[in-house]
Amino acid sequence: MSFESPCSKRHKGNPEIHHHIETGDSVIVVGRGQLRVSHGTVLVHGYSLHGPRGTLDLACDAHFPICISSQDHTDAQVPYVAAGYATISLHEDENAMAESQEHKNASSDAVGSSLRIVQVPDSATAFHPQEWKDVAYTMASSISEAMAAGMIGHPPVICVCGGKNTGKSSFCRYLVNMLLNYNSSVDYLDMDCGQTEFTPPGLVSLCEIRQPLVGPPYYDRRASIASKMSHFIGDTSPSSDPDAYVKHILNLYMVSQKRSRMAATMKPLVINTYGWIQGLGLDVLGACFDRMEITHAVRIQSDKERNNVSEEFFAAKEGAGFAPLQYVIPALSSTAAPSTVAARKVHQGILAAEAVTGRHSSTYSAVERRNMQWNSFALQCCPAYTTGEGVQSSNEYYYSQQRDSADIGTRLASQPPYAVSLDVLEVSCTHSSIQKDQIMRVLNGSVVGLCIQNSKRKQGMMEECVGLGIVRSVNVATRMLYILTSVHDQAVLKSVNHLVIGKLDLPPHLLQTNQFKSPYLALHAMTAEGTAAGAGKSRNNLLRASQL
C-alpha cells in the first residue's frame, strides 16, 4: 500500500511519488520502478546515491523490500554526504503499471507490481541490524584506506560463513553495496550451488559486480550481471563430489586473484558460502579456505551453537603465520540480539501492510527460493513470447510467484528449441558412468550443463560452464538433441562441445501445466548400477489427474 502524507505526494497524471526524507529517517519501498534523488544523499541497502542526478532501478516484493535512508553528514557510514534532508521521486515502470492494472484484484506480493512506499512503524532504525551496518562499514572503509596507502599486497578477500537461514546472502548483498561506495567493482564468488545468487541452481560462479544489489536473487535484471566464469556442480550440494567441488572453487578464486593483480587497481573479493557447516560440509569449506589468502572472515552467529562456525576454524594453520581478521554478527533468526528481533518485527509489519497472507507470510523456504530461481531461468530461455498483443520480450515481464508459475511453464514448453547433433558433443555424468547405447535415453528430459572442454584442459585448465540446458526431446534415429537454454549468443553456443548430466530436477510446475503434460517427473531414481531403485524424492506438490 502507498500512503499520502505532507512529505509524500503523487501528482495527478504523473505516475511517480515524490517523498521528502528527514535526516536519519527511512522509507520502505516495494514494487518495480526507478528511484531518483533530486536533493541530498540516500543510503539504499548500503549503497550511497547522490542527488541531483542519482538514479537506480528498483524491483522487489514484500519478502525482499528496499530500505531508503537519509543520512546526516555526521554519520560516517556514508561517504561524501551533505547535511540535511533528502528528496526522492519514485517513477513507476510502465510495464509494471499495466500489469498491476490487469491484475488489480490480485495480491500485491509481486515484483512486477507498481512501485509504492510502505508505512511501517520503527522502520527507520530497525530494518537492518545495527551490527551488520557497523561491520560492513568498518571493513569497507578500512580496506579502502589500506589499499590507498599501499598497505595490502594482494586483493582483499572477505568470506561470510554461517548456518542455514542465518542471512549470509543478505549480508553479502549489503557488504557488496557498501564496498561499491569505495570501489568501481567488486568480485563475488558464490560457493552455494543450492541457493545461487546470479546463476541457476547447480553452478558455482565468479561475477564482477558494478551496480548495487538491491533486488531479490530471482530478479530478471540480475541476468545482466556478467559472470566471469562458472563451473557445473550438477547438484544443489557439494556432497556428490567434494573433490571436484573444491577444485572448481579454487579455480574461481585463482581467476579472481590473477585478474585483480593484473588490473590497474585491486578489487575486493566477497565469498558467499553454503550453510552446511557440520561434518563433511565443514571439511569441504576447510579444504577450500586452506588454499585461500582470506583477509577478513565474517561469522554469523545464531542461537544454536551447532549452527555456528567456531573462531578456531579461521585460526592460523601451523606454519602459515597468518590469520584473517574476524567479525561476529548476529543471525537474522537470532532472538538474543535486540536488533535482529526489531528487524524481524519490521519485516512482519511490511508483510501485514502488503496483505501477504497464507504460507507466504513467512520467509520463503529453500525449495521455494530455488524454484523462483528456476522460474527466472525459464524466462531467460524464452527471449520472446507471443501474446494476444503480439511478440513481447521476456525482459518486459516479471512474475508473481503465486500467480504466474504455471504460465511460465506453458511459455517454456512453447519455446522452440535449439537442435544439435550428438556426434559433435561429448557427454558425461557427474555421478555415474553411462554406457554408449544408453546416452540418448539418459539425456532425454535431463537438465545439463553446457560446457566448453578446452584443449588445454590436460595442462590444468578447468572446464567452463556457460549455462544450463533442458534436453526437451531426442531423435534416436538421427541422433539429434533438442535443447532449451538461456544462452542465446550463437558464438558461445558454437563453442559448447561437452554436455554434463548432473542431479538437477526442474520444479513440477515447469514440467506439468494445464496445457502440457510431461512424462519426465522422476529422474535419477537409480543410485548405482544393479542396486535397484534408490530413495525417491517427495512429489506431494504434483497435481492429481482430477485437478488438471
Side-chain angles (χ1 to χ4, degrees), residues 1-3 10 17 27-32 59-66 100 103-121 127 345-358 360-361 364 400 402:
M1 75 182 212
S2 62
F3 68 96
R10 186 191 299 270
I17 300 174
V27 295
I28 305 296
V29 174
V30 171
R32 179 174 179 173
C60 58
D61 56 20
H63 294 273
F64 288 87
I66 293 174
S100 295
H103 302 283
K104 59 184 179 180
N105 295 325
S107 167
S108 61
D109 181 27
V111 173
S113 55
S114 60
L115 198 64
R116 58 203 175 277
I117 294 175
V118 182
Q119 190 174 22
V120 181
F127 188 79
K345 288 182 178 179
V346 169
H347 195 203
Q348 291 168 1
I350 296 169
L351 294 170
E354 289 293 289
V356 179
T357 59
H360 288 282
S361 60
Y364 288 131
S400 161
Q402 299 117 311

Side-chain angles (χ1 to χ4, degrees), residues 213-236:
L213 305 177
V214 293
Y218 47 85
Y219 177 32
D220 54 353
R221 292 177 187 171
R222 284 289 185 91
S224 63
I225 296 177
S227 173
K228 282 188 174 181
M229 181 175 288
S230 297
H231 291 312
F232 184 73
I233 302 300
D235 201 352
T236 56

Side-chain angles (χ1 to χ4, degrees), residues 519-534:
Y520 310 112
L521 293 179
L523 298 177
H524 318 303
M526 300 292 290
T527 58
E529 294 181 4
T531 60

Side-chain angles (χ1 to χ4, degrees), residues 199-214:
T199 65
L203 300 176
V204 290
S205 64
L206 174 67
C207 295
E208 183 179 17
I209 313 300
R210 296 181 178 273
Q211 298 295 326
L213 305 177
V214 293

Side-chain angles (χ1 to χ4, degrees), residues 1-3 8-11 14-21 27-38 42 44 49 56-58 66 68 87-93 97 114-118:
M1 75 182 212
S2 62
F3 68 96
S8 177
K9 61 176 61 176
R10 186 191 299 270
H11 296 294
N14 191 8
E16 64 182 46
I17 300 174
H18 294 271
H19 194 87
H20 178 87
I21 309 176
V27 295
I28 305 296
V29 174
V30 171
R32 179 174 179 173
Q34 186 181 70
L35 165 67
R36 299 178 186 176
V37 182
S38 56
V42 297
V44 186
L49 197 62
L56 189 63
D57 291 331
L58 305 179
I66 293 174
I68 304 172
T87 303
I88 63 172
S89 58
L90 306 176
H91 297 253
E92 295 180 346
D93 185 280
M97 292 173 60
S114 60
L115 198 64
R116 58 203 175 277
I117 294 175
V118 182

